[in-house]
Amino acid sequence: MPVVVTDKCHNCRFTECVTVCPVSCFHGDETMLYVDPDTCVDCGSCIPLCPVGAIYDSIDLPEDKQNWIKINAERAQLLPVIDSKKEPLPTAVQRRTELEGASGAA
Amino acid sequence: MSHPLRRVAIVGSGPSGFYLAEALDRLSLPVAIDVIDKLPTPFGLVRGGVAPDHPKIKSIATVFERIALRPNVRFLGNIEVGRDIELHELRDIYDVVVLAYGAERDRRLGIPGEDLVGSHSAGEFVGWYNGHPAHADRTFDLSHEAAVVIGLGNVAADICRILLRPLSELAVTDIADHALDALAASRIRTVHLVGRRDPADVKFSMPELRELASISGCAAVMSEAHFSGYGQEHSLTETQKKNLAFFQDLAARASELGKKKQLRFHFWKSPLALVGDRHVEKIRLRRNGSEVEELPCGLVVRCIGFRGTPVSGIAVDETTGTIPNCNGRVTEEGKIIPGLFVVGWLKRGPSGTIGSNRADSFAVAEEIAKDWPRLPTRSRGEDLFDLVQARQGRAVSFQRWKKIDEKEVLAGAPHGRPRRKLVTVDDLLRAAEV
């Protein structure tokens, strides 16, 4: 099962994931990344690398994030491949702090 | 300022070599890249290491194929450094030489009985089922009920699956014919997967671990009946937490009676000795540094890591198994050897996924680019392919490899298999029509 990028990537886009993707299956826009499920080989290399835990193996995807399977498939078709490291978005560090706070409280 | 065309040789056509070729090609430097392999076939561990029941991972080869077909990249197979060409000759032909030939030597346990019949290294077993010419004629005794696989990483996981999967599932893969025949007659019912680590610290990737617990017809069980965790979960990393949860879940599972085969996970156990007369009969383990336990077995495969092999005067650090380097620049007694680089397992040691090599090779390409303006021009314009053709006449270009590829794929098609591998260098060269 392919991996899925979720909304936690939104406004972060650290792009650590793209450096280890063996098949360059990440696509992206100005705010986040998406995985092309047809190209992904399910190796899972990217999952532990994401600083905010935004990438899930589809079988681990929480119920409230299931919609991201479809969003990844659709958006990846429309956007260019991102296969080398980019500067994280200016909002990334703040966003990570917020996400850490949210998961700590949960 | 524009730079003159420089020529780069990459020794080894596995993931680290091809990702480096990709990275160099992208730097917009005037560069011609030759990716050299001692085998007639390209792609290193993607062909000879990745398990045959992982066809998606094997499909990464198509990425390397695209790289090999770029106008300034060549694959040159069946050329071995030290046999067909010396390293110092390569260094005269090319401006930059990059060692990317991986870690082929197995680590040893260093315990009594390690050389008994039935005791093998992971490299031998993996090379055998993948049809690597160096291992194709090996034999493994699969006639005993129990086997032991030592190590808690993805190589060990692959070997367990190959030993335990239903034959019908292996028969549709590109596993070597000789391995398929041998596994058809296998009497192995139990595989003990043994390691010193704690369940939280296993090196399997999560997808590999899940696969181990869901082999059809095989129950995955913990050898510890009362495993529950240790109550210090708060100090664990995310990966450790996931591992622990996985094994807690496994331990809590109802026993899967009725399954013919069994995979048993053993933690906190170090091998003390392999015991037997001529052939291994059992393994002696020490648990948690105290109790001693013995497991009867007829096959032992150690998957405890690999080391690089030295080449033409370039030494390998025996502790790390890697070539000493400074961000990829090969060093000798702490001094950088200009124009000589190392990438992949030979640089970092045998860990990480195929994709780890991409990040690493891209980083080394950046270092090569930094040195680029200062590198002495060494290339005398000689062509390696011509030179080797004059010496042995059997170098394999990418077009020649495609002849092998087409024949293998064609031979596999009637059997519903992705390919049927040719497993001797002679057969491969014949298929390449060289």
Side-chain angles (χ1 to χ4, degrees), chain A residues 18-24 37 40-45 47-48 57 59-60 83-84, chain B residues 19 22 26 56-57 59-60 63 66 205 207 210 239 242 353-356 358-359 362:
Chain A
V18 310
T19 67
V20 297
C21 178
V23 291
S24 303
C40 174
V41 291
D42 322 340
C43 70
S45 305
I47 297 172
D57 194 319
I59 65 168
D60 292 329
D83 63 359
S84 54
Chain B
Y19 285 130
E22 181 193 11
R26 282 183 186 210
K56 273 202 167 183
I57 306 289
S59 75
I60 294 173
V63 172
R66 282 199 295 274
S205 66
R210 287 191 173 125
T239 304
K242 281 187 190 173
T353 60
I354 291 176
S356 316
R358 187 169 186 275
F362 272 62

Side-chain angles (χ1 to χ4, degrees), chain A residues 5-73:
Chain A
V5 188
T6 64
D7 52 338
K8 290 185 195 171
C9 180
H10 188 79
N11 289 341
C12 283
R13 223 188 57 178
F14 280 98
T15 60
E16 303 296 341
C17 50
V18 310
T19 67
V20 297
C21 178
V23 291
S24 303
C25 72
F26 286 92
H27 296 244
D29 59 21
E30 288 313 303
T31 63
M32 67 175 280
L33 298 172
Y34 305 88
V35 159
D36 175 359
D38 296 328
T39 311
C40 174
V41 291
D42 322 340
C43 70
S45 305
C46 52
I47 297 172
L49 241 70
C50 178
V52 297
I55 312 172
Y56 292 81
D57 194 319
S58 22
I59 65 168
D60 292 329
L61 202 59
E63 205 52 48
D64 63 343
K65 295 197 189 293
Q66 289 290 327
N67 56 324
W68 286 95
I69 295 178
K70 195 160 168 252
I71 298 171
N72 273 253

Side-chain angles (χ1 to χ4, degrees), chain B residues 223-406:
Chain B
S223 73
E224 304 296 318
H226 307 294
F227 177 76
S228 60
Y230 6 52
Q232 45 180 328
E233 280 83 344
H234 59 278
S235 61
L236 301 178
T237 65
E238 282 306 308
T239 304
Q240 287 176 317
K241 281 182 202 165
K242 281 187 190 173
N243 289 339
L244 198 57
F246 175 89
F247 287 109
Q248 284 166 334
D249 183 53
L250 194 69
R253 250 200 231 178
S255 67
E256 300 171 290
L257 294 172
K259 289 197 171 171
K260 282 196 209 133
K261 294 180 183 175
Q262 202 178 61
L263 173 65
R264 290 189 83 85
F265 287 95
H266 298 257
F267 301 103
W268 309 291
K269 293 179 186 174
S270 328
L272 289 179
L274 304 187
V275 183
D277 185 8
R278 207 178 69 84
H279 194 291
V280 57
E281 289 162 23
K282 54 190 178 184
I283 183 167
R284 191 171 295 145
L285 305 165
R286 190 190 294 282
R287 184 186 183 281
N288 267 349
S290 57
E291 305 151 53
V292 172
E293 176 184 352
E294 290 185 336
L295 299 171
C297 54
L299 177 76
V300 175
V301 187
R302 57 175 189 275
C303 315
I304 53 169
F306 300 92
R307 292 171 299 161
T309 315
V311 61
S312 307
I314 304 298
V316 163
D317 179 320
E318 287 302 320
T319 313
T320 59
T322 58
I323 289 181
N325 68 90
C326 173
N327 297 329
R329 294 172 189 83
V330 173
T331 60
E332 199 171 29
E333 288 165 8
K335 275 186 69 183
I336 288 168
I337 304 176
L340 189 62
F341 293 82
V342 61
V343 290
W345 276 10
L346 196 55
K347 166 176 176 267
R348 308 187 310 278
S351 67
T353 60
I354 291 176
S356 316
N357 292 297
R358 187 169 186 275
D360 182 56
S361 287
F362 272 62
V364 173
E366 294 286 337
E367 300 300 316
I368 295 174
K370 280 184 208 162
D371 290 1
W372 202 259
R374 288 183 276 121
L375 286 173
T377 302
R378 300 172 60 98
S379 169
R380 298 193 308 233
E382 232 175 330
D383 187 87
L384 177 67
F385 186 80
D386 295 342
L387 187 70
V388 171
Q389 283 304 74
R391 285 182 188 179
Q392 43 105 307
R394 306 200 88 178
V396 175
S397 65
F398 201 77
Q399 288 67 31
R400 295 285 169 177
W401 145 248
K402 288 306 287 180
K403 286 180 185 284
I404 301 174
D405 186 37
E406 281 161 21

